Amino acid sequence: MLKVFDNVIPQNRLEELYDELICTQMWSINRQSSSEYKYFHNFPGHMIFERKEGITSKILYEYFSGLIEHLRHRHKEEHGQLLPPKINRIHLGAKTLSSHTSLHTDTEQKGVVIIGFLTPKWKEEWGGDLRVEDKLIKYKPGRFSIFDTDKRHDGYAPEGGCPLWRITINIVLLHTLDYE
């Protein structure tokens, strides 16, 4: 399954959210998609919620939890399917021209990954696409993609002199939690 939803967050909200996110001190610069290259291709990230660790930012957790409910409703309306009920992780990632990652999966548990594009302005020549298996999803502000957790994916770094952070939200929803 791969579903793409546009205009999930309105433009004015994207601008407010982006401005708030880039002005906070919550970012950790050692995020990576794979432990294969320990010191290479790290990118800034912030774990808002991880099931085993809990909530690190209540305001962002509440905002993105509400957004998850909106996506659940929209997915049910447009595709007649329910999304998994358990939030396992909510994570922000920010990439620049040098932030390269590799194809990976986020978990071995069954569920879905939701990737949302949060940078409010974007030019196509800046790249930053999301690859899910053999499909490319263009980076478009406010666009969200939903796909099964067993699908390998990679968010490409911006290119072409992009002056902005490529900020995404990564949400993992599971059917059951392996430690319940």
Side-chain angles (χ1 to χ4, degrees):
M1 170 191 67
L2 172 62
K3 308 289 186 209
V4 177
F5 298 89
D6 285 331
N7 305 312
V8 173
I9 302 176
Q11 183 64 33
N12 63 330
R13 295 270 185 209
L14 278 175
E15 291 172 10
E16 292 169 0
L17 183 60
Y18 184 85
D19 289 346
E20 187 65 31
L21 291 174
I22 64 171
C23 290
T24 64
Q25 299 177 15
M26 65 184 182
W27 297 94
S28 171
I29 61 171
N30 67 343
R31 297 297 303 169
Q32 52 192 172
S33 63
S34 167
S35 60
E36 185 177 346
Y37 306 105
K38 184 174 180 182
Y39 298 113
F40 299 99
H41 308 304
N42 293 349
F43 59 92
H46 176 65
M47 192 65 71
I48 296 168
F49 173 78
E50 189 163 30
R51 179 65 62 180
K52 292 180 182 178
E53 305 297 323
I55 298 168
T56 61
S57 172
K58 187 174 182 184
I59 291 171
L60 288 174
Y61 177 79
E62 289 173 359
Y63 178 81
F64 287 111
S65 292
L67 191 68
I68 291 167
E69 290 310 310
H70 170 75
L71 282 167
R72 285 185 206 277
H73 177 74
R74 191 163 165 188
H75 190 269
K76 174 89 166 99
E77 289 278 312
E78 294 180 24
H79 301 286
Q81 299 170 320
L82 294 172
L83 292 176
K86 311 275 187 180
I87 300 173
N88 191 56
R89 181 175 85 182
I90 302 173
H91 169 260
L92 287 165
K95 292 185 177 180
T96 62
L97 301 172
S98 64
S99 305
H100 298 281
T101 52
S102 56
L103 278 171
H104 64 279
T105 58
D106 291 338
T107 182
E108 293 181 9
Q109 294 179 265
K110 297 293 181 203
V112 298
V113 175
I114 301 171
I115 304 285
F117 299 146
L118 304 181
T119 304
K121 308 274 189 219
W122 202 260
K123 294 181 180 180
E124 191 169 334
E125 61 262 25
W126 292 343
D129 298 343
L130 170 66
R131 178 178 170 190
V132 179
E133 298 283 330
D134 61 347
K135 306 270 191 275
L136 279 181
I137 295 104
K138 296 282 183 198
Y139 195 103
K140 180 179 175 186
R143 174 174 280 172
F144 279 67
S145 300
I146 302 174
F147 52 91
D148 294 319
T149 53
D150 63 349
K151 303 292 183 206
R152 291 168 39 96
H153 61 281
D154 185 21
Y156 293 153
E159 53 192 45
C162 177
L164 303 173
W165 288 100
R166 177 199 179 273
I167 298 181
T168 58
I169 188 73
N170 173 298
I171 300 165
V172 177
L173 301 179
L174 301 176
H175 294 288
T176 59
L177 301 172
D178 63 359
Y179 40 84
E180 282 187 316

